[in-house]
Amino acid sequence: ALAKAAAEEAKKRLDGVDGFVSTGYCGALDNGLKPWGIVVASEVNGSAVNQPAAGLDYVGGPMLSQDRVAGTAEEKSRLRESGAIAVEMEAAGVGQVAREAGVPFYCIRVVTDAASQTLPLDFNRMRDARGRFSRARILAAAARRPRRILPELMKLRRTCKGASLALGDFIANCRF
């Protein structure tokens, strides 16, 4: 919902939007996808998306977009039954705005967590009423079990930093 609102605002403020590129993190549903791997969606929730001309390797396939974090290996296994290879939270909303505007839509993600990986916290419980992640809630949850949670959060942070660099390199080598 937040990504859709941002895309609508961009469309309203920018004269002549040529297209939308939804980028960010995703969780792997396919066991072959590893952290820092690039996923270019062929479709999002069944709707076809455009493909960039890419200069670097990636895996292409269906993407599942939902308004919640798929935080456990068990949930990811169930979601894999949809046929999607990865799951994320923003592309469906951005894609809807692109379709309504009649402009191209691309979805490029980088994997932060493997299909077999369970995240250290239930990040869905760490969101505020608008859906944003609350740092205060995350810190409070980590403080309750610091020896277990803090090292896992630091590991996830390092993975996300490396994933961001990989995503930036990939996008820099794309033509839309």
Side-chain angles (χ1 to χ4, degrees), residues 20-176:
F20 285 92
V21 181
S22 180
T23 67
Y25 300 142
C26 69
L29 300 179
D30 184 298
N31 288 322
L33 295 175
K34 304 296 181 217
W36 297 13
I38 301 296
V39 178
V40 175
S42 59
E43 61 182 60
V44 174
N45 293 358
S47 294
V49 300
N50 296 76
Q51 302 296 294
L56 299 176
D57 290 339
Y58 67 89
V59 175
M63 182 79 63
L64 178 63
S65 186
Q66 62 178 20
D67 191 27
R68 61 174 276 105
V69 176
T72 67
E74 294 79 19
E75 181 178 6
K76 293 177 204 174
S77 179
R78 284 191 306 275
L79 294 174
R80 178 70 178 124
E81 294 173 13
S82 72
I85 63 171
V87 60
E88 58 79 65
M89 297 175 58
E90 299 88 17
V94 178
Q96 181 180 347
V97 174
R99 283 189 302 281
E100 290 168 358
V103 297
F105 172 63
Y106 304 85
C107 178
I108 303 169
R109 290 288 189 268
V110 62
V111 177
T112 56
D113 49 294
S116 61
Q117 183 180 355
T118 294
L119 296 174
L121 293 172
D122 179 354
F123 284 101
N124 296 300
R125 297 181 64 202
M126 305 298 126
R127 297 168 74 188
D128 64 20
R130 293 204 53 217
R132 298 180 197 280
F133 292 103
S134 167
R135 288 184 180 173
R137 287 183 185 175
I138 293 169
L139 289 173
R144 285 191 286 276
R145 297 198 329 245
R147 290 179 11 168
R148 185 176 91 69
I149 301 294
L150 284 178
E152 290 296 316
L153 286 176
M154 295 307 293
K155 180 180 174 186
L156 181 60
R157 180 178 183 263
R158 286 189 304 273
T159 299
C160 289
K161 285 179 95 172
S164 294
L165 292 172
L167 181 61
D169 285 345
F170 182 83
I171 292 170
N173 285 283
C174 284
R175 287 192 332 259
F176 298 95

